[in-house]
Amino acid sequence: MIPVAFDYEVAESVDHAIELLGQYGDESKLLAGGHSLIPIMRLRLAAPAVLIDLGKLENLRYVRDGGDHLKIGAMTRHRDLAFNEMVAQHCGIVGYTAGLLGDPSVQHRGTIGGTLSHGDASGDMPSVITALEGSIVVQGPNGERVVKAADFFQDYLVTDLGEQEVVTEVRVPKLNGNTGWSYKKFSRRSQDWAMVGVAAVVERSNGSIGSARIALTAMGATPLRATSVEQALSGAPRDAVAEAAQSADEGTSPASDSAASAEFRRHLARVWTKRAVEEALSR
Ligand SMILES: Cc1cc2nc3c(=O)[nH]c(=O)nc-3n(C[C@H](O)[C@H](O)[C@H](O)COP(=O)(O)OP(=O)(O)OC[C@H]3O[C@@H](n4cnc5c(N)ncnc54)[C@H](O)[C@@H]3O)c2cc1C
Protein backbone atom coordinates (compact mmCIF):
# COMPACT_ATOMS: atom_id res chain seq x y z
CA MET A 1 0.00 0.00 0.00
CA ILE A 2 1.04 3.60 -0.49
CA PRO A 3 1.39 5.60 2.77
CA VAL A 4 -0.99 8.44 3.56
CA ALA A 5 0.43 11.76 2.23
CA PHE A 6 2.87 13.48 4.57
CA ASP A 7 5.04 16.59 4.69
CA TYR A 8 8.79 16.26 4.89
CA GLU A 9 11.36 18.27 6.84
CA VAL A 10 15.12 17.81 6.98
CA ALA A 11 16.78 18.24 10.38
CA GLU A 12 20.06 20.17 10.07
CA SER A 13 21.11 19.38 13.66
CA VAL A 14 19.82 17.60 16.76
CA ASP A 15 18.60 20.96 18.14
CA HIS A 16 16.76 21.59 14.88
CA ALA A 17 15.12 18.13 15.08
CA ILE A 18 13.97 18.92 18.64
CA GLU A 19 12.64 22.29 17.46
CA LEU A 20 10.72 20.64 14.59
CA LEU A 21 9.29 18.01 16.97
CA GLY A 22 8.08 20.90 19.16
CA GLN A 23 6.57 22.68 16.17
CA TYR A 24 4.65 19.68 14.77
CA GLY A 25 3.97 17.78 18.02
CA ASP A 26 2.49 14.30 17.90
CA GLU A 27 1.63 14.72 14.21
CA SER A 28 5.31 14.20 13.43
CA LYS A 29 7.79 11.31 13.45
CA LEU A 30 11.56 11.19 13.19
CA LEU A 31 12.89 9.27 10.20
CA ALA A 32 16.26 7.50 10.47
CA GLY A 33 16.85 4.50 8.17
CA GLY A 34 13.10 4.17 7.54
CA HIS A 35 13.24 0.37 7.68
CA SER A 36 10.68 0.09 10.47
CA LEU A 37 8.75 3.33 10.06
CA ILE A 38 8.12 3.22 6.30
CA PRO A 39 6.80 -0.40 6.35
CA ILE A 40 4.28 0.47 9.08
CA MET A 41 3.29 3.62 7.16
CA ARG A 42 2.75 1.51 4.06
CA LEU A 43 0.52 -0.80 6.10
CA ARG A 44 -1.23 2.38 7.33
CA LEU A 45 -0.59 1.40 10.93
CA ALA A 46 1.08 4.81 11.27
CA ALA A 47 0.15 7.98 9.43
CA PRO A 48 2.35 10.84 10.63
CA ALA A 49 1.52 14.18 9.01
CA VAL A 50 5.20 15.19 8.98
CA LEU A 51 8.42 13.19 8.72
CA ILE A 52 11.53 14.81 10.18
CA ASP A 53 14.52 13.26 8.42
CA LEU A 54 17.66 12.74 10.52
CA GLY A 55 19.57 11.43 7.49
CA LYS A 56 21.83 14.49 7.18
CA LEU A 57 23.14 14.15 10.74
CA GLU A 58 26.45 12.47 9.87
CA ASN A 59 27.78 13.76 13.22
CA LEU A 60 25.59 11.09 14.86
CA ARG A 61 27.31 8.32 12.88
CA TYR A 62 30.35 7.16 14.84
CA VAL A 63 31.93 4.61 17.18
CA ARG A 64 34.19 6.19 19.83
CA ASP A 65 36.28 4.94 22.71
CA GLY A 66 34.75 6.15 25.97
CA GLY A 67 37.34 4.57 28.29
CA ASP A 68 35.54 1.62 29.88
CA HIS A 69 32.76 1.75 27.28
CA LEU A 70 32.08 2.39 23.60
CA LYS A 71 29.98 5.31 22.41
CA ILE A 72 27.91 4.63 19.32
CA GLY A 73 26.15 7.50 17.55
CA ALA A 74 22.42 6.97 17.00
CA MET A 75 22.69 7.25 13.21
CA THR A 76 25.34 4.54 13.01
CA ARG A 77 24.07 1.94 10.58
CA HIS A 78 23.93 -1.77 11.31
CA ARG A 79 26.49 -2.36 8.54
CA ASP A 80 28.92 0.15 10.10
CA LEU A 81 28.77 -1.84 13.36
CA ALA A 82 29.12 -5.22 11.68
CA PHE A 83 32.46 -4.14 10.18
CA ASN A 84 33.82 -1.87 12.92
CA GLU A 85 37.17 -3.01 14.37
CA MET A 86 36.71 -1.28 17.75
CA VAL A 87 33.33 -2.97 18.16
CA ALA A 88 34.80 -6.35 17.16
CA GLN A 89 37.64 -5.95 19.66
CA HIS A 90 35.71 -4.65 22.68
CA CYS A 91 32.06 -5.63 22.31
CA GLY A 92 31.79 -8.25 19.60
CA ILE A 93 28.16 -9.14 20.34
CA VAL A 94 27.04 -5.75 18.97
CA GLY A 95 28.83 -6.16 15.64
CA TYR A 96 27.82 -9.80 15.32
CA THR A 97 24.14 -9.03 15.94
CA ALA A 98 24.16 -6.00 13.61
CA GLY A 99 25.35 -8.36 10.88
CA LEU A 100 22.35 -10.67 11.50
CA LEU A 101 19.56 -8.11 11.18
CA GLY A 102 17.36 -8.62 8.14
CA ASP A 103 19.26 -8.54 4.86
CA PRO A 104 22.09 -6.36 3.49
CA SER A 105 19.73 -3.57 2.40
CA VAL A 106 18.23 -3.40 5.92
CA GLN A 107 21.75 -3.34 7.38
CA HIS A 108 22.89 -0.57 5.03
CA ARG A 109 19.98 1.74 5.88
CA GLY A 110 18.82 0.79 9.40
CA THR A 111 20.39 2.54 12.40
CA ILE A 112 21.05 1.57 16.01
CA GLY A 113 19.10 4.62 17.21
CA GLY A 114 16.15 3.64 15.02
CA THR A 115 15.98 0.03 16.13
CA LEU A 116 16.13 0.96 19.83
CA SER A 117 13.65 3.85 19.51
CA HIS A 118 11.21 1.63 17.64
CA GLY A 119 11.20 -0.74 20.62
CA ASP A 120 10.01 -3.85 18.79
CA ALA A 121 10.06 -6.85 21.14
CA SER A 122 11.22 -8.99 18.19
CA GLY A 123 14.14 -6.68 17.49
CA ASP A 124 17.54 -8.22 18.13
CA MET A 125 19.54 -5.19 19.24
CA PRO A 126 17.25 -4.20 22.16
CA SER A 127 17.98 -7.58 23.85
CA VAL A 128 21.69 -7.28 23.20
CA ILE A 129 21.88 -3.78 24.72
CA THR A 130 19.77 -5.03 27.66
CA ALA A 131 22.09 -8.00 28.31
CA LEU A 132 25.08 -5.65 28.13
CA GLU A 133 23.37 -3.32 30.63
CA GLY A 134 24.08 -0.53 28.16
CA SER A 135 22.51 2.90 28.19
CA ILE A 136 20.84 5.26 25.78
CA VAL A 137 21.58 8.98 25.58
CA VAL A 138 18.53 11.08 24.84
CA GLN A 139 18.39 14.81 24.03
CA GLY A 140 15.32 17.01 24.39
CA PRO A 141 14.32 20.62 25.02
CA ASN A 142 15.53 20.35 28.64
CA GLY A 143 18.96 18.96 27.75
CA GLU A 144 20.48 15.51 27.82
CA ARG A 145 19.71 12.46 29.96
CA VAL A 146 21.13 8.96 30.05
CA VAL A 147 18.64 6.09 30.38
CA LYS A 148 19.57 2.54 31.33
CA ALA A 149 18.40 -0.03 28.78
CA ALA A 150 16.39 -1.71 31.56
CA ASP A 151 14.34 1.49 31.94
CA PHE A 152 14.18 2.43 28.26
CA PHE A 153 11.95 -0.37 26.92
CA GLN A 154 8.56 0.00 28.57
CA ASP A 155 6.00 -1.92 26.51
CA TYR A 156 5.45 -3.22 22.99
CA LEU A 157 6.71 -0.39 20.70
CA VAL A 158 6.73 1.93 23.73
CA THR A 159 9.96 3.42 25.08
CA ASP A 160 10.88 6.01 27.65
CA LEU A 161 11.35 8.62 24.89
CA GLY A 162 9.40 11.83 25.41
CA GLU A 163 7.55 13.47 22.51
CA GLN A 164 10.29 15.98 21.79
CA GLU A 165 13.27 13.75 22.46
CA VAL A 166 15.89 12.33 20.12
CA VAL A 167 18.20 9.37 20.81
CA THR A 168 21.71 10.62 20.13
CA GLU A 169 24.02 7.89 21.43
CA VAL A 170 24.16 4.32 22.73
CA ARG A 171 26.78 3.30 25.30
CA VAL A 172 27.94 -0.27 25.80
CA PRO A 173 30.61 -1.58 28.18
CA LYS A 174 33.90 -2.91 26.87
CA LEU A 175 34.00 -6.62 27.65
CA ASN A 176 37.18 -7.91 29.28
CA GLY A 177 39.03 -11.09 28.32
CA ASN A 178 37.14 -13.13 30.94
CA THR A 179 33.78 -12.28 29.45
CA GLY A 180 32.28 -14.30 26.63
CA TRP A 181 29.14 -13.51 24.66
CA SER A 182 26.63 -15.06 22.32
CA TYR A 183 23.50 -14.04 20.45
CA LYS A 184 21.36 -16.95 19.30
CA LYS A 185 18.39 -16.28 17.10
CA PHE A 186 15.88 -18.83 15.91
CA SER A 187 13.99 -18.02 12.72
CA ARG A 188 12.57 -20.04 9.86
CA ARG A 189 14.82 -18.36 7.28
CA SER A 190 18.16 -16.73 8.01
CA GLN A 191 16.93 -13.20 7.24
CA ASP A 192 13.68 -13.40 9.18
CA TRP A 193 12.84 -11.70 12.46
CA ALA A 194 13.57 -13.79 15.55
CA MET A 195 10.93 -16.25 16.66
CA VAL A 196 13.00 -16.19 19.83
CA GLY A 197 16.45 -14.73 20.46
CA VAL A 198 18.83 -15.03 23.41
CA ALA A 199 21.64 -12.60 24.22
CA ALA A 200 24.14 -13.93 26.77
CA VAL A 201 27.09 -12.11 28.34
CA VAL A 202 28.92 -14.47 30.68
CA GLU A 203 31.89 -13.77 32.93
CA ARG A 204 34.21 -16.69 33.67
CA SER A 205 35.92 -16.96 37.04
CA ASN A 206 38.51 -19.62 38.01
CA GLY A 207 36.98 -22.30 35.80
CA SER A 208 33.45 -21.53 37.03
CA ILE A 209 30.82 -19.05 35.95
CA GLY A 210 31.26 -15.69 37.67
CA SER A 211 28.08 -14.03 36.48
CA ALA A 212 25.69 -14.26 33.56
CA ARG A 213 23.47 -11.64 31.99
CA ILE A 214 20.84 -13.06 29.68
CA ALA A 215 18.15 -11.17 27.75
CA LEU A 216 15.39 -12.74 25.69
CA THR A 217 13.95 -11.50 22.38
CA ALA A 218 10.24 -11.99 21.53
CA MET A 219 9.35 -13.54 24.89
CA GLY A 220 7.20 -10.60 26.04
CA ALA A 221 6.39 -6.99 25.20
CA THR A 222 9.97 -5.85 25.88
CA PRO A 223 13.39 -7.54 26.09
CA LEU A 224 13.26 -9.68 29.25
CA ARG A 225 16.11 -10.71 31.54
CA ALA A 226 16.15 -14.45 32.33
CA THR A 227 16.76 -13.66 36.00
CA SER A 228 16.23 -17.13 37.42
CA VAL A 229 18.85 -18.55 35.03
CA GLU A 230 21.20 -15.69 35.90
CA GLN A 231 20.81 -16.42 39.61
CA ALA A 232 21.31 -20.16 39.16
CA LEU A 233 24.50 -19.57 37.17
CA SER A 234 26.08 -17.02 39.50
CA GLY A 235 29.20 -18.74 40.92
CA ALA A 236 28.07 -22.12 39.52
CA PRO A 237 30.24 -24.74 37.80
CA ARG A 238 30.07 -24.91 34.01
CA ASP A 239 28.09 -28.15 34.04
CA ALA A 240 25.18 -26.33 35.74
CA VAL A 241 24.14 -24.67 32.47
CA ALA A 242 21.72 -27.31 31.13
CA GLU A 243 19.68 -27.46 34.31
CA ALA A 244 19.70 -23.70 34.89
CA ALA A 245 18.48 -23.06 31.34
CA GLN A 246 15.30 -25.03 32.07
CA SER A 247 13.89 -21.97 33.85
CA ALA A 248 14.67 -19.54 30.99
CA ASP A 249 10.98 -18.97 30.24
CA GLU A 250 10.05 -18.27 33.87
CA GLY A 251 8.27 -14.91 34.17
CA THR A 252 7.90 -14.47 30.40
CA SER A 253 4.69 -13.93 28.43
CA PRO A 254 5.36 -14.91 24.82
CA ALA A 255 2.67 -14.38 22.19
CA SER A 256 1.09 -17.07 20.05
CA ASP A 257 1.05 -15.87 16.45
CA SER A 258 1.50 -17.07 12.89
CA ALA A 259 5.24 -17.57 13.48
CA ALA A 260 5.04 -19.76 16.61
CA SER A 261 2.85 -20.77 19.52
CA ALA A 262 3.63 -19.44 22.99
CA GLU A 263 4.54 -22.97 24.09
CA PHE A 264 7.00 -23.40 21.24
CA ARG A 265 8.58 -20.04 22.10
CA ARG A 266 8.99 -21.21 25.72
CA HIS A 267 10.70 -24.37 24.48
CA LEU A 268 12.98 -22.34 22.21
CA ALA A 269 13.90 -19.99 25.05
CA ARG A 270 15.08 -22.92 27.17
CA VAL A 271 17.06 -24.62 24.39
CA TRP A 272 18.54 -21.42 23.00
CA THR A 273 19.53 -20.13 26.44
CA LYS A 274 21.52 -23.31 27.07
CA ARG A 275 23.26 -23.01 23.71
CA ALA A 276 23.92 -19.28 24.09
CA VAL A 277 25.48 -19.64 27.55
CA GLU A 278 27.58 -22.59 26.41
CA GLU A 279 28.80 -20.63 23.41
CA ALA A 280 29.56 -17.59 25.57
CA LEU A 281 31.61 -19.79 27.92
CA SER A 282 33.62 -21.18 25.03
CA ARG A 283 34.39 -17.78 23.48
C1 LIG B 1 12.71 -6.66 5.59
C2 LIG B 1 13.15 -6.23 6.96
C3 LIG B 1 13.69 -7.17 7.82
C4 LIG B 1 14.12 -6.80 9.09
N1 LIG B 1 14.63 -7.75 9.91
C5 LIG B 1 15.01 -7.41 11.17
C6 LIG B 1 15.52 -8.39 12.05
O1 LIG B 1 15.67 -9.57 11.72
N2 LIG B 1 15.86 -8.00 13.30
C7 LIG B 1 15.73 -6.70 13.70
O2 LIG B 1 16.06 -6.41 14.85
N3 LIG B 1 15.27 -5.75 12.88
C8 LIG B 1 14.91 -6.07 11.62
N4 LIG B 1 14.40 -5.09 10.79
C9 LIG B 1 14.29 -3.70 11.28
C10 LIG B 1 15.60 -2.95 11.07
O3 LIG B 1 16.54 -3.36 12.04
C11 LIG B 1 15.37 -1.44 11.18
O4 LIG B 1 16.48 -0.83 10.65
C12 LIG B 1 15.20 -0.88 12.56
O5 LIG B 1 14.22 -1.53 13.29
C13 LIG B 1 14.79 0.56 12.57
O6 LIG B 1 15.88 1.37 12.29
P1 LIG B 1 15.72 2.57 11.29
O7 LIG B 1 16.98 3.37 11.38
O8 LIG B 1 15.35 2.05 9.95
O9 LIG B 1 14.53 3.42 11.96
P2 LIG B 1 13.24 4.09 11.34
O10 LIG B 1 12.40 3.10 10.64
O11 LIG B 1 13.62 5.31 10.56
O12 LIG B 1 12.52 4.57 12.68
C14 LIG B 1 11.94 3.64 13.56
C15 LIG B 1 11.28 4.40 14.72
O13 LIG B 1 12.26 5.00 15.55
C16 LIG B 1 12.12 6.42 15.60
N5 LIG B 1 13.48 6.96 15.56
C17 LIG B 1 14.42 6.67 14.63
N6 LIG B 1 15.59 7.24 14.98
C18 LIG B 1 15.37 7.89 16.14
C19 LIG B 1 16.20 8.66 17.02
N7 LIG B 1 17.50 8.87 16.76
N8 LIG B 1 15.65 9.18 18.12
C20 LIG B 1 14.35 8.96 18.41
N9 LIG B 1 13.51 8.25 17.64
C21 LIG B 1 14.03 7.72 16.51
C22 LIG B 1 11.26 6.77 14.38
O14 LIG B 1 10.51 7.95 14.61
C23 LIG B 1 10.37 5.55 14.28
O15 LIG B 1 9.31 5.64 15.19
C24 LIG B 1 13.98 -5.44 9.52
C25 LIG B 1 13.45 -4.49 8.64
C26 LIG B 1 13.02 -4.87 7.38
C27 LIG B 1 12.44 -3.83 6.47
Side-chain angles (χ1 to χ4, degrees), residues 21 28-40 51-52 54 60 74-78 97 100-103 105-107 109-120 122-126 137 152 159 161-162 165-169 183 185 187 190-194 217:
L21 285 170
S28 61
K29 274 266 177 209
L30 296 173
L31 176 72
H35 272 59
S36 287
L37 182 56
I38 302 295
I40 62 171
L51 286 188
I52 300 166
L54 302 176
L60 290 188
M75 288 299 288
T76 308
R77 296 177 185 185
H78 306 317
T97 305
L100 280 183
L101 301 182
D103 53 36
S105 68
V106 174
Q107 293 169 19
R109 296 298 309 169
T111 65
I112 190 164
T115 192
L116 299 184
S117 306
H118 192 57
D120 191 326
S122 300
D124 301 295
M125 204 56 91
V137 183
F152 188 75
T159 68
L161 271 177
E165 288 185 318
V166 181
V167 170
T168 54
E169 189 175 274
Y183 185 68
K185 166 175 174 172
S187 50
S190 64
Q191 295 169 343
D192 280 349
W193 290 80
T217 304

Side-chain angles (χ1 to χ4, degrees), residues 13 19 25 29 39 41 49 54 57 81 97 101 108 122 133 136 151 153 161 171 217 228 257:
S13 64
E19 188 187 313
K29 274 266 177 209
M41 287 173 64
L54 302 176
L57 305 186
L81 293 172
T97 305
L101 301 182
H108 277 288
S122 300
E133 295 181 341
I136 293 128
D151 300 326
F153 304 105
L161 271 177
R171 294 181 185 165
T217 304
S228 64
D257 55 28

Side-chain angles (χ1 to χ4, degrees), residues 5-22:
F6 55 85
D7 286 332
Y8 176 79
E9 294 271 9
V10 174
E12 302 292 342
S13 64
V14 173
D15 286 343
H16 187 216
I18 294 166
E19 188 187 313
L20 290 168
L21 285 170

